[in-house]
Amino acid sequence: MITLPPTPTSLQVDDFVRLVGPEVVRTDHKELVKLSSDWSKMSPVLQEKLPPGRFTAQLVVTPLSAEEIPRILTAAFETGVPITPRGAGTGNYGQATPFAGGAVLDLRRCNRVLEVGDGFVRVEPGAKLTDVDTAVRETGQDLWMFPSTKGSTAGGFVGGGSAGTGTIEHGTTFDGFVRSVTVAPCDGSGSSVTASGTDALPYVHAYGVTGVLSELTLATEPARDWRAVYLAADDYDTGTAILRGLREFGPRLASMDEVPLAAHLPSSYVDKTRISVRAILPAASVTGVRDLVYDLGGDVSAVVDGVEATDLLSGMSYNHPVYFLQQSGYRCFHLESAGDPLWQAPDAIRALLPNVLFHLELGHRGMQAMIVADYVDEEQVLGGIAGLEALGVAVHSPHQWYVDRQLPMIRAVAPRVDPRGLLNPGKLA
């Protein structure tokens, strides 16, 4: 059951525009439709429920700097206009869908890298992680992690994402990556609050319901010399043995795809006729990895140096192989999964759904996967989730838009910072 505030009247919208200033407001219909959607179209379930144009904001507000965000939220509180924060729109769960109309808060112009220090970088929420990573590397450091869509914004990744390149070593965005956040509440105060360490967790992966991120401090570490390594195997068991064996060599990322998925990966280094295993590895580990792969019966296709090479490999991780397959016209869905049955009992998983394909990721503690299958309807998807859980596979569904992590913390904070329920309505069940 979704509880939503009423859609603002034209009088409310006019009052809001007067308070924030018309120079930061846009109302072009085509742009409103575009900025009221995200990459939820990757889910055929959400594609049916959230097609572009079904839920559309009444205006877009684009602050020119993060300092303007509290003033905009004060105007929203005073006029009752809902606010849906948005970065680059690369989220996959409908996080940026304005269910109650109102304003999309487009944060892309709040994009400054404010400071790079020893072990941290401080940024505005609209800073693209490609730019943040460049600034950090210029100081001889690496970001702890970044998502498979590296063009995402820092605020979007922290507010709506959770894992990516670097997760094998550092866990998710909940595990120390976020050193501190400055957050603007929607309570009429016009103020901001800064939270550090565990106190910052209620604002991580909260889709903006606990306040709009206006500044973030993220963890960095001394840079390492990375290589993009492409491997190939003839069968699933060999591929998963190689993938699991890579953990001891300190990978930043390690992925595996079955042939139908591998065939659509955008790299000439991928052997598209065999199981594809790919990893970002320390240069010093490459010799040891070659020995491991040959001992297990696989092959090394390529070892490539440079940031462009490792970024390309990163862009073929997590749900991106599913996207590339869908772009070929194949109608399918995926389930984000984890657990030993992914490599110990793949045939039991294949028996649950039609034409199952596996994209595997080496996770922080074990094996993770995008389990891909032909799409029939939502009932089939829900049945697949129940069947997987019965096998001992943990499932996160990318086919719903609710905040679903750290819920006790988020539910405790949201009423205090958003007493009128105006921040991204409908996302907190």
Side-chain angles (χ1 to χ4, degrees), residues 118-120 144 176-181 195-198 200 216-220:
D118 184 12
F120 73 91
W144 262 25
F177 174 62
V178 181
R179 296 297 170 86
S180 70
V181 291
S196 303
T198 57
L216 307 96
T217 301
L218 307 176
T220 65

Side-chain angles (χ1 to χ4, degrees), residues 94-259:
Q95 301 107 308
T97 305
F99 287 145
V104 164
L105 185 63
D106 180 2
L107 295 167
R108 289 175 295 174
R109 295 186 72 173
C110 304
N111 59 6
R112 293 178 296 169
V113 177
L114 300 169
E115 180 185 7
V116 182
D118 184 12
F120 73 91
V121 58
R122 191 165 57 87
V123 300
E124 290 187 327
K128 283 190 175 183
L129 288 166
T130 47
D131 297 332
V132 178
D133 188 52
T134 297
V136 166
R137 283 190 291 105
E138 287 175 351
T139 68
Q141 300 185 84
D142 286 332
L143 271 175
W144 262 25
M145 73 181 75
F146 53 82
S148 50
T149 306
K150 200 176 180 182
S152 301
T153 63
F157 181 42
V158 170
S162 60
T165 297
T167 281
I168 296 172
E169 180 175 357
H170 295 298
T172 70
T173 50
F174 297 110
D175 297 315
F177 174 62
V178 181
R179 296 297 170 86
S180 70
V181 291
T182 299
V183 185
C186 189
D187 59 1
S189 67
S191 63
S192 294
V193 61
T194 297
S196 303
T198 57
D199 291 339
L201 292 181
Y203 310 102
V204 176
H205 199 78
Y207 300 177
V209 302
T210 49
V212 176
L213 300 169
S214 60
E215 188 179 298
L216 307 96
T217 301
L218 307 176
T220 65
E221 61 190 347
R224 281 171 272 182
D225 186 14
W226 300 107
R227 296 290 184 271
V229 180
Y230 291 80
L231 312 168
D234 290 325
D235 58 76
Y236 190 85
D237 287 344
T238 302
T240 56
I242 292 171
L243 185 65
R244 290 184 294 116
L246 291 174
R247 186 180 293 276
E248 68 178 280
F249 295 97
R252 200 176 193 201
L253 179 78
S255 311
M256 187 191 103
D257 286 281
E258 292 193 278
V259 173

Side-chain angles (χ1 to χ4, degrees), residues 1-55:
M1 181 84 178
I2 301 176
T3 302
L4 299 174
T7 301
T9 65
S10 58
L11 181 60
Q12 286 175 283
V13 171
D14 289 345
D15 285 345
F16 177 77
V17 172
R18 176 178 53 79
L19 289 172
V20 301
E23 66 278 1
V24 298
V25 171
R26 307 193 302 280
T27 57
D28 175 74
H29 180 71
K30 184 179 290 187
E31 186 175 23
L32 288 175
V33 171
K34 179 180 179 181
L35 296 186
S36 296
S37 301
D38 59 15
W39 279 90
S40 59
K41 59 187 176 183
M42 277 197 65
S43 160
V45 175
L46 295 182
Q47 202 171 54
E48 295 164 0
K49 295 181 177 183
L50 308 177
R54 177 168 293 178
F55 298 99

Side-chain angles (χ1 to χ4, degrees), residues 41 65 86-87 94 119 121 156 178 199 210 310 320 329 346 350 354 394 404 424:
K41 59 187 176 183
S65 71
R86 187 184 196 277
V121 58
V178 181
D199 291 339
T210 49
T310 54
H320 280 210
R350 290 187 180 102
D404 56 2
N424 211 355

